Amino acid sequence: MSSSIQRARQALLRRANDRRILALARQVRAKAPDEVRGRPVVFFNASTRLGGVSLNAAFATLSAMALQLYGTPVRYFACRRGMSRCTLGVVVNGPDQPPPCRTCVAQAEVLFANAPLHWLDPPDPHAPAQRELQNELEGLSVPEMETFTYPPVTPSLPHPLTSSPIPLGELTLPSLRWTLRVHHLQDDAATRRLFRAFLASAFHVLTEFEAFLETVEARCVVVFNGIAFPEAVARWVALQRGLPVITHEVAHQPLTAFFSHGQVTAYPVEIPPDFDLSPEQNARLDAYLSRRFQGDFSMAGLKFWPEMKGLDAGLREKMDAFEALVPVFSNVIFDTAQVHANVVFEHMFAWLDQVAGIARAHPQALFVLRAHPDELRPGSRKQARETVASWFARSGLDSVENVVFIPPDEYVSSYALIREARFVMVYNSTIGLEAALMGVPVLNGGRARYTQVECVHLPADPDAHRRLAEGFLNADKVPFPPHFLRNARRFMFYQLWRTPLPFEAFLEPQSTRGYVFLKDFAADDLHPDRSATMKVIADGILQGQPFLMPEGDWEVR
C-alpha cells in the first residue's frame, strides 16, 4: 500500500474516532446526574497530542467522563494558540516554526466536548507583564535562562502569586532538553530563541491558569506527567494554592495508565512491608519475566527489541580472557525521568566519565558498555542528539583493551550479558531492576524508580560509588543480600499488576505508536460502579486513595 493511501486511510480512521468520542461525550452529558457532588476537578492537558488521540489524552478524557457520570463536575483548561512554542510543536515543526495549532485545537475541541472548557488564548504582547518579561529575557545566555526566576531574585515588588520568585527556568528546562534531545544545551542563537519562547509561553500559562483558578473553586488538578513545561507550570500554580495535584503517565503494560498523587515520573508507590507474593503471584511474575528476558515486551506502543541476539563467538572469546565481566547500561539522556535520577552525579555523562576511569584502573575486568536502544529510534523524531556513542568516541576507550561498546542498534541480549556478570553497573535504567531479579548485584549511578525499595546498591555520592565499584572488582564474591531479591520481586509485581490501571476495555492501539482508537462501548461502562479501573481513579482523585488495582482484577499476561 502506498504511503499516500495509508495516510488517507489513517485520516478516515481518525475522523471516525473523533465522531465516536463526540457521541460518547453527548451520552455522558445526558447521563450525568443533575445534582453534582462537591467542587469541580480541573483537568489540564496541553502536551499529550497534536492530531489524533494519544494514550495520555485518552486517559485524561475517559477519567473525566467517569467522574461526570459519578456526579463530580469537571472543568478543562486547554491551549488555543496560547503558546508561541510548545514541546510537541518543536518536535514536529522544528524550533523556529510555530506549532501546528489548527490541528491541535481541532483535536482539543473533540477531546474536551464533554465538559466546560477554558481556552488559553494568545497573550497581549502589549500587556505590562509581558513587556517586562521580554525585557528581562533579552540578552540572557542559556545558562542564565536555566536558573531564571520572575521577577528577578531581588524584585522591587513581589509577584502577586507568591512572595518568592517564580522558577520559570527550572520549570521549562526539562522540556527544552526533551525537545532538543540533549542534556548539555548549546549557548547559540537558536537555543536562546527557543528558550525565550518557552519561558514566555510558560509565564503566560502561569498567569492565565492562576486567573482561571480564581474563578473556579477547584477540588484538585489533574495533569499529564507534570514535567512538560505547561503541565509543570500548572502543577506549580496549583501547589502554590494548596490544591492537590494528580499526575498521570503511561504504565508498564499495554494500554495502561499510572496515576499518582506525587510526581508520576518518579513512580512513587508504597508497598506494604509485610507484602509477599503468593505462589500464584510468583508463578505469574515468573511467566512474565520468562517472556521479557527473550525481548518480548513493549511500552507506550513501542517495542524496543525487533530482534534479540545472543552473545557472538568473538565477544565470548574476549570475555574468557578476563577475570570478570561488568556490563554497563546507560539511559537516554533526555528522558523525563532523568530529572529524578541526578542525585549522585550531576548527569549521566559524569557517571560515565567515572566508569571510564574505573575501567582503565582495572584491566583484569572486561567492561561492556551497552547503549540504550531508545537512543536510536528508526523512523522516529525521538532520536537522541547527545548520545553515548558520541561520548564513547570522545572518551578514548575504543583503544582500551578491556572495554567493549555495543551501540543502540545492535540487539545483543542484555540478559545474556547479565547472566555472565560479576556485577552490573547502571545509571537509572529498568535493566537494573531486571538484573536484581536475576540475582545479580547491581550498582546504580542514579536514582531509579526501583531504588525506593532496597534491591540494588545506590551510593550517596561519586566517591562512594567509586569505592563500591572498586570493592566489587576486588572481592571474591559481590554481596547480594537475600532481601534484595525479595524487594525486587515485590516491586516488579506492583509495577506490573497493581499500579497499571487497564484501559483495554475502552481503547485499542493505532498503527501510529502511542496513539489509540476508542472501542465501541456505552457511556455507562465508564461509570466507577461498573469499571474497576474507573473506580480506582475516582477514589484516588476524590478521596485521596492509592491508585492501585485490587488484587485479582488482572489475568496473567
Side-chain angles (χ1 to χ4, degrees):
M1 187 184 298
S2 70
S3 59
S4 59
I5 293 175
Q6 286 180 325
R7 286 195 298 270
R9 182 175 182 274
Q10 195 70 9
L12 288 173
L13 290 172
R14 287 187 172 182
R15 283 197 289 272
N17 195 46
D18 288 347
R19 290 193 295 271
R20 192 175 298 122
I21 296 169
L22 291 171
L24 185 64
R26 289 192 294 270
Q27 291 181 47
V28 169
R29 291 197 304 269
K31 290 178 176 292
D34 293 332
E35 184 178 349
V36 298
R37 300 178 183 177
R39 293 174 292 159
V41 174
V42 172
F43 282 77
F44 185 106
N45 188 318
S47 304
T48 61
R49 78 285 170 274
L50 292 172
V53 180
S54 72
L55 278 163
N56 276 298
F59 297 156
T61 296
L62 295 180
S63 299
M65 289 178 173
L67 291 178
Q68 285 178 281
L69 293 169
Y70 219 29
T72 301
V74 167
R75 298 291 184 270
Y76 288 115
F77 187 95
C79 180
R80 183 169 61 186
R81 304 178 187 274
M83 296 180 284
S84 63
R85 296 291 184 274
C86 70
T87 54
L88 295 181
V90 170
V91 173
V92 172
N93 284 354
D96 289 323
Q97 296 297 320
C101 295
R102 181 178 178 182
T103 301
C104 181
V105 171
Q107 192 64 65
E109 290 174 335
V110 172
L111 284 167
F112 309 139
N114 57 295
L117 168 60
H118 181 91
W119 289 110
L120 175 73
D121 287 316
D124 177 2
H126 303 296
Q130 284 289 330
R131 290 203 308 269
E132 179 186 349
L133 178 68
Q134 292 295 343
N135 291 337
E136 293 289 346
L137 295 176
E138 198 63 38
L140 293 185
S141 67
V142 166
E144 289 171 328
M145 283 188 271
E146 288 179 9
T147 57
F148 178 77
T149 61
Y150 182 85
V153 176
T154 55
S156 56
L157 292 173
H159 192 275
L161 281 178
T162 174
S163 59
S164 59
I166 303 164
L168 287 177
E170 177 185 330
L171 292 170
T172 54
L173 181 58
S175 288
L176 191 67
R177 286 173 168 158
W178 185 83
T179 54
L180 297 180
R181 307 298 191 238
V182 299
H183 177 85
H184 294 96
L185 299 167
Q186 297 295 316
D187 189 14
D188 55 24
T191 306
R192 289 193 292 272
R193 283 197 303 272
L194 181 59
F195 210 161
R196 283 195 295 269
F198 273 20
L199 289 165
S201 295
F203 179 71
H204 184 50
V205 171
L206 184 143
T207 54
E208 291 300 304
F209 192 60
E210 168 65 15
F212 168 71
L213 291 180
E214 283 289 331
T215 68
V216 176
E217 193 179 353
R219 180 178 197 143
C220 61
V221 175
V222 181
V223 304
F224 159 67
N225 93 2
I227 298 296
F229 81 76
E231 285 77 12
V233 166
R235 179 176 181 269
W236 187 88
V237 170
L239 292 176
Q240 289 290 311
R241 298 177 67 91
L243 287 173
V245 179
I246 293 95
T247 56
H248 64 86
E249 252 287 10
V250 173
H252 279 76
Q253 293 275 22
L255 300 175
T256 64
F258 176 48
F259 280 66
S260 175
H261 296 288
Q263 270 279 21
V264 69
T265 49
Y267 211 85
V269 55
E270 291 187 15
I271 303 175
D274 60 349
F275 168 72
D276 277 303
L277 275 66
S278 68
E280 294 78 14
Q281 290 168 336
N282 272 312
R284 176 190 294 186
L285 179 57
D286 288 338
Y288 172 86
L289 293 176
S290 177
R291 294 193 303 273
R292 185 172 178 101
F293 293 162
Q294 298 300 317
D296 183 15
F297 66 93
S298 63
M299 185 172 178
L302 175 66
K303 188 174 177 66
F304 289 116
W305 302 94
E307 59 178 319
M308 186 180 282
K309 300 184 295 187
L311 307 181
D312 62 38
L315 181 55
R316 284 196 173 276
E317 182 179 351
K318 193 172 184 68
M319 288 164 51
D320 291 340
F322 291 88
E323 294 177 9
L325 170 67
V326 182
V328 180
F329 296 102
S330 63
N331 212 322
V332 181
I333 193 65
F334 60 82
D335 180 15
T336 53
Q338 297 303 97
V339 298
H340 311 294
N342 302 328
V343 296
V344 180
F345 292 87
E346 184 180 357
H347 49 74
M348 185 186 71
F349 291 112
W351 167 72
L352 284 172
D353 288 340
Q354 186 178 97
V355 172
I358 293 169
R360 287 189 172 96
H362 292 270
Q364 79 280 10
L366 178 65
F367 291 77
V368 178
L369 172 57
R370 177 79 173 84
H372 196 286
D374 203 26
E375 265 199 359
L376 181 64
R377 289 194 193 180
S380 168
R381 298 183 181 95
K382 292 187 177 181
Q383 295 186 21
R385 294 173 57 234
E386 185 178 8
T387 66
V388 174
S390 61
W391 172 88
F392 184 77
R394 296 191 306 270
S395 70
L397 291 176
D398 56 344
S399 61
V400 176
E401 184 64 24
N402 67 320
V403 177
V404 172
F405 176 65
I406 300 177
D409 55 352
E410 259 187 49
Y411 301 113
V412 174
S413 170
S414 298
Y415 308 113
L417 289 168
I418 292 169
R419 290 187 188 99
E420 305 287 341
R422 166 79 63 86
F423 68 99
V424 171
M425 301 180 78
V426 306
Y427 196 62
N428 66 319
S429 173
T430 300
I431 198 71
L433 174 62
E434 294 170 324
L437 287 163
M438 296 170 70
V440 177
V442 178
L443 175 58
N444 269 58
R447 180 193 292 154
R449 58 183 59 192
Y450 50 85
T451 57
Q452 61 190 290
V453 300
E454 195 177 18
C455 62
V456 299
H457 299 275
L458 179 65
D461 53 49
D463 286 341
H465 179 272
R466 186 186 63 254
R467 288 194 301 271
L468 273 176
E470 292 178 342
F472 291 169
L473 286 163
N474 294 324
D476 293 332
K477 186 176 182 180
V478 179
F480 186 78
H483 69 274
F484 276 23
L485 182 57
R486 172 181 178 263
N487 286 339
R489 291 183 68 85
R490 294 163 70 243
F491 185 86
M492 191 66 156
F493 188 87
Y494 261 65
Q495 181 174 270
L496 291 173
W497 291 296
R498 296 300 306 279
T499 57
L501 308 181
F503 278 72
E504 62 184 2
F506 312 113
L507 304 174
E508 59 186 8
Q510 290 189 29
S511 58
T512 303
R513 292 170 176 170
Y515 279 73
V516 291
F517 293 128
L518 263 65
K519 289 183 175 179
D520 187 12
F521 60 91
D524 287 337
D525 295 332
L526 287 170
H527 196 289
D529 290 342
R530 297 186 60 173
S531 165
T533 294
M534 294 307 174
K535 175 66 171 170
V536 170
I537 291 173
D539 287 350
I541 291 174
L542 302 178
Q543 300 177 28
Q545 296 294 314
F547 292 98
L548 296 175
M549 287 301 291
E551 290 188 54
D553 276 2
W554 277 70
E555 298 298 324
V556 177
R557 294 172 181 271

